[in-house]
Amino acid sequence: MADGPAPKRRREEAAAGPGAPFPLGSVRLRRVLRDSAREKAAFVHGQVPGPAGQPEDAVLILERTPFREEEIEELLRAHSKLELQTRNDIYSTYRLYPPPELSEIKATVVYPATEKHLQKYLHQEVHLIRETWEDYKNITLPFIQSQSFSIQWVYNILEKKAEADRIIHENPDPCNGFVLVPDFKWNQNQLEDLYLIALIQRRDVKSLRDLTAEHLPLLRNILQEGKEAIRKRFGVPGSQLRIYLHYQPSYYHLHVHFTALGYDAPGSCAERAHLLEDVLDNLLLDAGYYQKRALTFALRADEPLLKKFQEVGRV
Amino acid sequence: MADGPAPKRRREEAAAGPGAPFPLGSVRLRRVLRDSAREKAAFVHGQVPGPAGQPEDAVLILERTPFREEEIEELLRAHSKLELQTRNDIYSTYRLYPPPELSEIKATVVYPATEKHLQKYLHQEVHLIRETWEDYKNITLPFIQSQSFSIQWVYNILEKKAEADRIIHENPDPCNGFVLVPDFKWNQNQLEDLYLIALIQRRDVKSLRDLTAEHLPLLRNILQEGKEAIRKRFGVPGSQLRIYLHYQPSYYHLHVHFTALGYDAPGSCAERAHLLEDVLDNLLLDAGYYQKRALTFALRADEPLLKKFQEVGRV
């Protein structure tokens, strides 16, 4: 590649290889996997030329960014075009076309993307599962163990091989410690959609289902130190944070979500989010609570785990 | 005004008068009333010079627009600037600055705006309360009893004095019966945002806090008959329904919400919604579960109950 025809061409070719920036401008759109009109986000299946010229899959998540207070006056003044659309009594609507610097889009790239990544973002019908502990042991756990969804990126963070500069707080205790980092969904420009993740140091707790009274010190550390770190760094008090675990989680290394209470974060719904304080109280009430209680979650029609439940007539 | 110094000046002065386009570029920002990070919308209190030069109030609602499939390739190519933000394994994030024509903002103007308009859009800060059973007995219950929230409208439905034609299902048993009606928020035109409410016949159960094992037959009836009635009438199976109670509820006569699982209904978040199946299992586990466990809920800054918690130093 060192003797490519021109510097520009060389840069583009190199771009698809490991270590180089992703060639966003060369993406060919295959299809829109999902378009969230409410959230102004699009999940896109695209392809870029791979090292040997063959098309390679990528998932692009495009998301428009929230308004920032300090930009609003400028936005109203600096628009390049303004069109009146409708008018009725005291109400009128306009289309306004702001300059690029006030129109930031957050783009998340998954590259190379596997079929699994594409499926993950594809819009699907959803089914509710009521998973008993027996279901977990007989269906869910064997399924999780049979999958090899890589969580290398989690280990990279815990080992400071990636994102070390993004760590907001760390408790290094191998048993009761954790690392707090901003979630990828948050661009950190405004507090309205504040979103952080606490990743536990130990690697033997997959999800809520594994939790027992043994984990109370770990969970208390996450609750207390996480709140305190967010208050110190971002000035947001604990009473304005929604702190919860997902079940099912999207990856099986225990983690806790911290989101701004006023932010209607995706996945904060009752059929997925379990408030950390409720988890603590349930474990205090009964050390084996999560090995007894049925848990509800939703699965999309294409998720292999749903098929497992269907095969044994549990859906 | 006809002899204003220059045409441009004249146009701007005229702009604030009736009939002329609203002078969006002359708006002075007073404050952001509410910023919805998830929906990428901002509600702004602004002022423009009125006919006599005095500042006049306006509300501006700014909303970024959803992505359009046909624009996505162009967006990726035509960005004026692209910045790599983070990179970890197969994931990377970028900031992308698209041209004005791909960054349309919808602006809705309410002008002139009254104080009522400003209040309507004003964001209220939200605080999380962790209510113990003692808090309930000492703060919440006396507060509920001191209020005279009328629930006559509920009794009207139960007694067929109102909405009798809207009843989807009824179990007339005075102890374990209920009435199922469409919620007012649902216009019944489409199933995507299906929303129904089950109102219990008996009048002595205010909320989740009153529930004990005694209420298991009632709750089971609601779960089973409610699902069955919705499947029959609307063709939506129980596995695609989110069935839950609110705590705090908006009125203190026990009721259960049935919403389409795919619909991100307001109030379906983990800090307010309690899945009926979880409630049933908790009562089976411990008949006095809801008289023991702390419960979390959010209160807006202007809610009187928040003041009660503040007075005794519980917030």
Side-chain angles (χ1 to χ4, degrees):
Chain A
M1 263 191 279
D3 42 17
K8 187 172 180 301
R9 170 90 178 118
R10 211 178 314 159
R11 201 170 58 236
E12 281 187 359
E13 280 188 349
F22 180 80
L24 212 54
S26 313
V27 172
R28 283 196 49 205
L29 179 72
R30 290 302 306 266
R31 62 172 169 165
V32 174
L33 299 167
R34 187 156 72 85
D35 194 339
S36 172
R38 180 174 173 196
E39 295 164 24
K40 283 79 182 179
F43 301 78
V44 174
H45 174 195
Q47 288 183 325
V48 291
Q54 81 291 10
E56 287 198 339
D57 292 322
V59 171
L60 277 71
I61 304 164
L62 303 173
E63 193 178 9
R64 299 202 192 270
T65 47
F67 291 102
R68 284 193 285 173
E69 181 158 356
E70 60 275 22
E71 287 179 355
I72 289 176
E73 277 200 0
E74 201 189 335
L75 197 76
L76 296 173
R77 246 177 280 292
H79 55 80
S80 69
K81 204 170 66 170
L82 176 67
E83 291 171 5
L84 176 65
Q85 224 184 334
T86 61
R87 186 157 194 182
N88 178 358
D89 191 42
I90 59 170
Y91 302 97
S92 49
T93 64
Y94 298 82
R95 297 175 205 255
L96 193 151
Y97 299 88
E101 62 274 19
L102 299 178
S103 306
E104 183 187 319
I105 287 173
K106 182 165 179 288
T108 303
V109 175
V110 183
Y111 173 80
T114 63
E115 186 56 32
K116 223 183 241 173
H117 292 112
L118 298 176
Q119 286 300 322
K120 174 176 172 185
Y121 295 108
L122 190 65
H123 174 78
Q124 298 279 342
E125 204 166 65
V126 189
H127 298 269
L128 219 52
I129 304 283
R130 184 82 181 158
E131 179 200 69
T132 62
W133 173 247
E134 280 62 42
D135 290 335
Y136 175 73
K137 276 191 306 183
N138 299 331
I139 307 170
T140 310
L141 182 59
F143 172 78
I144 296 169
Q145 287 167 338
S146 75
Q147 299 290 303
S148 47
F149 232 144
S150 167
I151 44 173
Q152 188 54 47
W153 68 271
V154 174
Y155 300 152
N156 287 347
I157 294 174
L158 296 176
E159 294 166 9
K160 317 281 170 66
K161 289 181 183 161
E163 302 184 50
D165 53 326
R166 300 175 78 236
I167 292 177
I168 301 298
H169 175 75
E170 178 174 19
N171 176 330
D173 187 280
C175 181
N176 296 323
F178 69 99
V179 161
L180 183 70
V181 288
D183 187 274
F184 271 124
K185 289 187 277 299
W186 184 37
N187 68 7
Q188 300 184 60
N189 284 343
Q190 60 289 313
L191 298 176
E192 282 74 14
D193 59 341
L194 174 139
Y195 202 142
L196 295 101
I197 293 283
L199 300 162
I200 64 168
Q201 301 277 10
R202 55 192 286 182
R203 301 183 180 191
D204 61 345
V205 188
K206 288 181 288 305
S207 76
L208 193 59
R209 276 289 188 203
D210 287 336
L211 291 176
T212 67
E214 177 207 344
H215 304 101
L216 284 168
L218 165 63
L219 298 175
R220 282 198 195 106
N221 286 347
I222 293 175
L223 182 66
Q224 285 156 15
E225 295 175 28
K227 278 204 243 187
E228 183 59 16
I230 291 173
R231 194 190 58 72
K232 269 194 190 149
R233 174 71 72 98
F234 302 106
V236 177
S239 69
Q240 301 193 354
L241 294 173
R242 184 191 293 113
I243 307 173
Y244 56 100
L245 291 82
H246 275 162
Y247 192 75
Q248 299 285 334
S250 46
Y251 49 96
Y252 292 90
H253 175 104
L254 193 85
H255 55 283
V256 176
H257 304 252
F258 289 74
T259 61
L261 183 58
Y263 172 52
D264 198 6
S268 58
C269 50
E271 69 273 20
R272 189 164 190 205
H274 297 255
L275 296 181
L276 179 55
E277 290 193 284
D278 285 344
V279 173
L280 280 162
D281 282 3
N282 285 332
L283 291 174
L284 278 172
L285 188 75
D286 182 343
Y289 187 91
Y290 292 103
Q291 290 84 49
K292 283 178 189 158
R293 266 290 308 281
L295 294 172
T296 290
F297 51 85
L299 289 176
R300 293 196 318 278
D302 65 323
E303 287 185 269
L305 183 56
L306 180 66
K307 190 169 279 173
K308 299 286 173 196
F309 275 85
Q310 284 167 334
E311 280 168 7
V312 294
R314 285 289 292 120
V315 184
Chain B
M1 265 193 275
D3 44 17
K8 188 172 181 295
R9 169 92 180 118
R10 210 180 314 159
R11 199 170 62 237
E12 280 188 359
E13 280 187 351
F22 180 79
L24 213 54
S26 314
V27 171
R28 283 196 47 205
L29 179 72
R30 290 303 306 267
R31 62 174 168 162
V32 174
L33 299 167
R34 187 155 71 83
D35 193 340
S36 171
R38 181 167 179 193
E39 292 163 23
K40 283 78 184 180
F43 301 77
V44 173
H45 174 196
Q47 289 184 323
V48 291
Q54 80 292 8
E56 287 198 339
D57 293 322
V59 171
L60 277 70
I61 303 165
L62 302 173
E63 193 177 8
R64 300 203 193 269
T65 47
F67 290 102
R68 285 191 287 173
E69 182 160 354
E70 60 275 22
E71 287 179 356
I72 289 176
E73 277 200 359
E74 201 188 336
L75 197 77
L76 295 174
R77 247 177 278 293
H79 56 79
S80 70
K81 204 169 66 169
L82 176 67
E83 290 171 5
L84 176 65
Q85 221 185 336
T86 60
R87 183 158 197 183
N88 178 355
D89 193 41
I90 59 169
Y91 303 98
S92 49
T93 65
Y94 299 82
R95 298 176 203 254
L96 192 150
Y97 299 88
E101 63 275 19
L102 299 178
S103 307
E104 185 186 317
I105 287 173
K106 182 166 178 280
T108 304
V109 175
V110 183
Y111 173 81
T114 64
E115 186 57 31
K116 223 182 240 171
H117 292 115
L118 297 176
Q119 283 302 322
K120 174 177 170 184
Y121 295 110
L122 187 62
H123 168 78
Q124 293 282 339
E125 206 163 66
V126 187
H127 297 269
L128 218 51
I129 304 283
R130 184 83 183 158
E131 179 199 69
T132 63
W133 173 247
E134 281 63 42
D135 290 334
Y136 175 72
K137 278 189 306 182
N138 299 330
I139 307 170
T140 309
L141 182 59
F143 172 78
I144 297 169
Q145 288 166 337
S146 75
Q147 300 289 304
S148 47
F149 287 128
S150 168
I151 43 173
Q152 189 54 48
W153 68 271
V154 175
Y155 300 154
N156 288 345
I157 294 174
L158 297 175
E159 294 165 9
K160 316 281 172 66
K161 290 180 181 162
E163 302 183 51
D165 54 327
R166 300 177 77 236
I167 293 177
I168 301 296
H169 174 77
E170 178 173 20
N171 177 331
D173 187 279
C175 181
N176 295 324
F178 69 100
V179 161
L180 183 71
V181 288
D183 187 273
F184 273 120
K185 288 187 280 298
W186 183 38
N187 64 10
Q188 301 184 59
N189 285 341
Q190 61 290 313
L191 297 176
E192 281 72 18
D193 59 342
L194 173 140
Y195 202 142
L196 295 102
I197 294 283
L199 299 162
I200 64 169
Q201 302 277 10
R202 56 192 285 180
R203 302 185 181 190
D204 60 347
V205 188
K206 288 181 288 306
S207 76
L208 192 59
R209 276 291 188 201
D210 287 338
L211 292 175
T212 66
E214 178 207 343
H215 305 101
L216 284 168
L218 166 63
L219 298 175
R220 283 198 194 105
N221 286 348
I222 293 175
L223 182 66
Q224 285 155 17
E225 295 174 28
K227 278 203 246 187
E228 184 56 19
I230 291 173
R231 193 190 58 72
K232 269 193 190 150
R233 175 71 72 99
F234 302 106
V236 177
S239 70
Q240 302 194 351
L241 294 174
R242 184 192 292 112
I243 306 172
Y244 56 99
L245 291 83
H246 275 163
Y247 192 74
Q248 299 288 333
S250 46
Y251 50 95
Y252 292 90
H253 175 101
L254 193 85
H255 55 284
V256 176
H257 304 252
F258 290 73
T259 61
L261 185 58
Y263 171 52
D264 199 7
S268 58
C269 49
E271 70 272 18
R272 190 164 190 205
H274 298 255
L275 297 180
L276 180 54
E277 290 193 285
D278 285 342
V279 173
L280 280 162
D281 282 2
N282 286 330
L283 292 174
L284 278 172
L285 188 75
D286 181 343
Y289 187 91
Y290 291 103
Q291 291 84 48
K292 284 179 189 158
R293 267 289 310 281
L295 294 172
T296 291
F297 51 86
L299 291 176
R300 288 198 322 277
D302 63 335
E303 288 186 89
L305 182 55
L306 180 66
K307 191 169 279 173
K308 299 288 174 197
F309 274 86
Q310 284 167 335
E311 280 168 7
V312 294
R314 286 288 291 118
V315 184

